[in-house]
Amino acid sequence: MTWALPLKPGLHFSSLMTDDTKSIAHGLKQRDPELLDMLIEQYQYRLFRYLVHLTGNRERAEDFFQETWVRVLERGHQYDGKWKFEAWLFTIARNLILDWHRRKKPESLDSLAGPDENASFDVKDEKSATPLESFLNEEQREGVQSSLTRIPVIYREVLVLRFQEEMQLEEIAGVLSTPVSTVKSRLYRGLEALRGAMSVNTAAGQGGAA
């Protein structure tokens, strides 16, 4: 089977794609090829974007993209519909990257955390007026993508999952296999790191214009 790489934001289907996780679980257990094609069309852009953020390399992300869908086909019987499909999908992708990191060098993505990683911070789990959205409105959203590449991957990942993929804190905790308190801590530190990176970009831009 040939997998299509994403060229533009994902398509949206109104049938069973977003809400009916039980139907997706049933179809994956049956290895339904039409369902798999629809899932790829629906989630390919988001998955590829996530992989690029984690790997920092488009070609490597393409390899993980292909392998993730192979795993979905092979392990579809394991999806029970209790999670949103995208959370299960991203978990598979992340585990592939972690395995690759462990083969490449002993430390994992999680080892990049600071010593006070699990400090408790109160980040509200709300869809509207999120901290990042409020911050980006003030900064007019300029330079966000380039700034994201400048912060540690462990914080970049949680920002992408929360604010680009719009996952809830509990869903992110499931993808990362960490407590919700750790997710909150990484969000807080990620926002601070992003704020610092954007300040550096702004200063560099002003210096170049002088």
Side-chain angles (χ1 to χ4, degrees):
M1 182 178 293
T2 300
W3 312 107
L5 288 176
L7 299 177
K8 59 184 179 180
L11 304 175
H12 297 279
F13 298 95
S14 59
S15 54
L16 53 77
M17 301 312 301
T18 302
D19 299 320
D20 197 350
T21 57
K22 293 298 183 183
S23 293
I24 295 176
H26 177 75
L28 288 176
K29 286 180 174 62
Q30 300 299 317
R31 298 174 72 93
D32 182 349
E34 292 186 5
L35 171 67
L36 188 63
D37 287 344
M38 292 176 68
L39 289 171
I40 293 171
E41 288 291 333
Q42 175 73 6
Y43 294 105
Q44 60 176 343
Y45 176 76
R46 294 172 59 187
L47 174 63
F48 189 69
R49 178 174 62 184
Y50 174 66
L51 289 169
V52 169
H53 277 299
L54 256 63
T55 63
N57 181 287
R58 183 179 178 87
E59 291 184 1
R60 190 170 295 130
E62 289 176 356
D63 292 337
F64 284 122
F65 177 87
Q66 309 282 2
E67 192 171 352
T68 298
W69 288 112
V70 170
R71 292 293 179 89
V72 169
L73 183 64
E74 293 174 345
R75 301 182 181 181
H77 62 280
Q78 297 177 358
Y79 177 64
D80 57 13
K82 293 180 180 179
W83 283 22
K84 288 182 180 178
F85 175 76
E86 57 263 40
W88 184 72
L89 177 68
F90 282 26
T91 300
I92 292 176
R94 187 177 196 270
N95 286 338
L96 287 172
I97 294 175
L98 287 176
D99 288 343
W100 174 75
H101 268 278
R102 292 185 185 109
R103 292 193 300 269
K104 181 181 176 184
K105 50 190 176 181
E107 75 251 16
S108 69
L109 294 177
D110 290 342
S111 70
L112 301 177
D116 51 355
E117 159 74 10
N118 291 310
S120 177
F121 298 98
D122 183 17
V123 180
K124 293 183 179 180
D125 187 22
E126 298 175 350
K127 283 292 186 178
S128 59
T130 62
L132 183 60
E133 287 168 347
S134 299
F135 172 65
L136 293 183
N137 286 336
E138 295 172 5
E139 299 296 333
Q140 300 178 343
R141 299 176 179 267
E142 294 182 0
V144 175
Q145 293 302 322
S146 61
S147 297
L148 276 172
T149 65
R150 296 175 179 270
I151 69 176
V153 64
I154 195 170
Y155 302 135
R156 183 194 319 153
E157 177 183 29
V158 75
L159 289 176
V160 167
L161 290 175
R162 180 67 183 96
F163 299 113
Q164 286 192 348
E165 304 308 328
E166 297 186 338
M167 288 188 182
Q168 300 295 325
L169 298 186
E170 292 79 7
E171 293 170 344
I172 299 172
V175 172
L176 306 185
S177 298
T178 60
V180 171
S181 60
T182 300
V183 174
K184 290 182 178 181
S185 172
R186 292 183 188 179
L187 274 175
Y188 177 89
R189 297 186 183 283
L191 288 169
E192 289 299 309
L194 181 62
R195 186 175 285 109
M198 291 184 71
S199 296
V200 170
N201 280 351
T202 300
Q206 291 173 346

